[in-house]
């Protein structure tokens, strides 16, 4: 068993994955789909992200935050589960209990955000590290939206349902895509266009979130820019995988991640035709889009990058010896 597989099994993502399977499969968990995806992010996605982070052993401040994140992630995820259960199953939705319990995840994502800012500060302008740092900051914004959702507060004329969707948006697309692009930047040869991809990737989520609340045209612009960035990322990544002999597991999962994204694109293109042929609505497609994005693009991508990072470390160590 190689070290990357051991990492995955020892990671909180493993028990988190078991809990997530139960949440999605058992009737006892009468959650909205958006709640299930938020729990999936807290229990599985975030601990996988932590596995990808580099920390400067000489930087005491960053080392302490990294250790705190590793220790506190799973308890914070369990508080997130308790928060959603209190509002959906335990009948406490009219109290402040769900909101109070959600503060555990908010404080944890604040740690992620602080770690992201330290990554940006000590990166000395390296675009790849700036992208990863920005992705971690976006987790904190997702935590803010989750707490607003659990407190059932109205903000900027947006209702709690919008807060829930905004939280999912920041936990998945907004946070994950910059981290993926940053991970790619660490291994790719220097390209003049790469800093522009990072810049657009940081601006895009802000436009989408702003548009969701204030203006649909702004949201469409943000979505278009963000989607183009993912196309650039997946196209370059597939070309890189084809030209470089890497760990087969890394290539397999990263390939699946890219395939999931392009499947979403194809379904989106043919959505009007399918809608008319089978009398489907957008509500019928949301579970398909969400599953392909969360389990395909995001989950497979993270697993692939964990294997990729470990493979590169092994080759580096072999070359050094």
């Amino acid at each position: 068993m190689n070290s990357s597989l051991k990492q995955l099994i020892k990671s909180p993502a493993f028990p988190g994955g078991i809990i997530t399977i139960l949440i999605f499969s058992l009737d006892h968990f009468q959650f909205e789909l958006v709640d299930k995806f938020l729990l999936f992010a807290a229990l599985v996605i975030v601990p996988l992200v932590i596995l990808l982070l580099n920390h400067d052993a000489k930087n005491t401040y960053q080392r302490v935050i990294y250790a705190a994140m590793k220790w506190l992630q799973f308890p914070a995820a369990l508080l997130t589960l308790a928060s959603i259960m209190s509002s959906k199953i335990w009948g406490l939705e009219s109290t402040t209990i769900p909101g109070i319990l959600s503060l555990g995840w908010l404080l944890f994502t604040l740690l992620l955000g602080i770690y992201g800012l330290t990554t940006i500060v000590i990166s000395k302008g390296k675009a790849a590290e700036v992208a990863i740092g920005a992705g971690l900051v976006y987790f904190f914004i997702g935590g803010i939206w989750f707490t607003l959702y659990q407190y059932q507060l109205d903000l900027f004329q947006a209702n709690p349902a919008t807060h829930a969707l905004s939280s999912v948006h920041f936990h998945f697309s907004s946070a994950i895509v910059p981290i993926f692009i940053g991970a790619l930047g660490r291994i790719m040869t220097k390209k003049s266009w790469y800093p522009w991809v990072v810049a657009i990737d940081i601006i895009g989520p802000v436009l989408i979130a702003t548009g969701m609340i204030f203006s649909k045209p702004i949201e469409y612009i943000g979505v278009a820019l963000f989607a183009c960035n993912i196309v650039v990322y997946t196209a370059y990544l597939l070309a890189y995988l084809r030209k470089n002999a890497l760990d087969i597991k890394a290539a397999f999962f990263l390939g699946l991640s890219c395939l999931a994204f392009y499947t979403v694109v194809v379904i989106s293109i043919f959505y009007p035709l399918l809608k008319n042929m089978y009398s489907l609505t957008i509500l019928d497609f949301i579970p398909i889009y969400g599953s392909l994005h969360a389990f395909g693009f995001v989950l497979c991508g993270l697993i692939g990058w964990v294997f990729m990072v470990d493979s590169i470390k092994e080759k580096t160590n072999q070359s050094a010896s």
Side-chain angles (χ1 to χ4, degrees), residues 5 23 29 48 73-74 76 87 99 108 138 140-141 172 179 201 208 217 219 225 240 271 274 306 314:
L5 194 55
I23 289 171
F29 297 99
L48 289 177
Q73 182 276 321
F74 195 62
S87 62
F108 174 75
Y138 283 146
F140 174 52
I141 298 176
F172 285 92
I179 290 171
D201 204 48
I208 295 171
E219 180 183 358
L225 290 173
Y240 183 90
Y271 165 69
L274 294 172
V306 169
E314 287 183 0

Side-chain angles (χ1 to χ4, degrees), residues 14 55 61 95 122 126 144 146 149-150 156 165 170 177 184 197 206 219 236 238 256 262 276 282 321:
F14 188 73
H55 67 282
Y61 184 66
T95 71
I122 68 177
K126 292 180 181 177
I144 294 173
F146 174 67
Y149 169 50
Q150 290 304 89
F156 301 126
L165 291 173
F170 275 99
V177 175
L184 178 64
V197 171
V206 177
E219 180 183 358
Y236 190 93
L238 288 173
L256 277 182
Y262 287 116
N276 294 329
I282 189 62
S321 59

Side-chain angles (χ1 to χ4, degrees), residues 115-321:
Y115 190 89
L117 290 175
T118 63
T119 300
I120 293 171
V121 170
I122 68 177
S123 69
K124 298 179 180 179
K126 292 180 181 177
E129 302 307 315
V130 171
I132 292 172
L136 296 175
V137 172
Y138 283 146
F139 273 124
F140 174 52
I141 298 176
I144 294 173
W145 285 117
F146 174 67
T147 295
L148 291 172
Y149 169 50
Q150 290 304 89
Y151 270 109
Q152 294 291 294
L153 296 176
D154 292 330
L155 184 68
F156 301 126
Q157 300 179 337
N159 58 31
T162 302
H163 300 335
L165 291 173
S166 297
S167 184
V168 170
H169 166 63
F170 275 99
H171 275 88
F172 285 92
S173 297
S174 296
I176 295 299
V177 175
I179 290 171
F180 281 179
I181 289 177
L184 178 64
R186 286 174 173 175
I187 65 172
M188 65 187 286
T189 55
K190 188 175 181 180
K191 301 289 184 181
S192 60
W193 48 262
Y194 180 74
W196 290 101
V197 171
V198 171
I200 293 171
D201 204 48
I202 294 172
I203 296 170
V206 177
L207 292 177
I208 295 171
T210 303
M212 288 174 68
I213 299 172
F214 297 110
S215 171
K216 283 295 179 183
I218 293 177
E219 180 183 358
Y220 296 149
I221 293 171
V223 169
L225 290 173
F226 209 58
C228 289
N229 252 19
I230 301 177
V231 169
V232 172
Y233 158 76
T234 53
Y236 190 93
L237 178 59
L238 288 173
Y240 183 90
L241 293 174
R242 184 172 60 85
K243 293 179 181 178
N244 294 272
L246 300 166
D247 182 88
I248 186 65
K249 296 183 292 298
F252 174 75
F253 281 103
L254 289 173
L256 277 182
S257 175
C258 296
L259 178 63
F261 168 71
Y262 287 116
T263 302
V264 171
V265 172
V266 170
I267 292 175
S268 300
I269 292 172
F270 286 97
Y271 165 69
L273 179 62
L274 294 172
K275 181 179 68 172
N276 294 329
M277 288 179 61
Y278 300 102
S279 300
L280 300 173
T281 68
I282 189 62
L283 295 178
D284 297 309
F285 283 89
I286 287 176
I288 300 173
Y289 288 136
S291 298
L292 283 170
H293 185 75
F295 299 112
F297 177 68
V298 174
L299 179 61
C300 289
L302 283 172
I303 294 173
W305 279 115
V306 169
F307 282 124
M308 174 79 84
V309 169
D310 188 67
S311 174
I312 292 172
K313 283 181 180 178
E314 287 183 0
K315 288 186 177 181
T316 302
N317 292 335
Q318 290 173 1
S319 300
S321 59

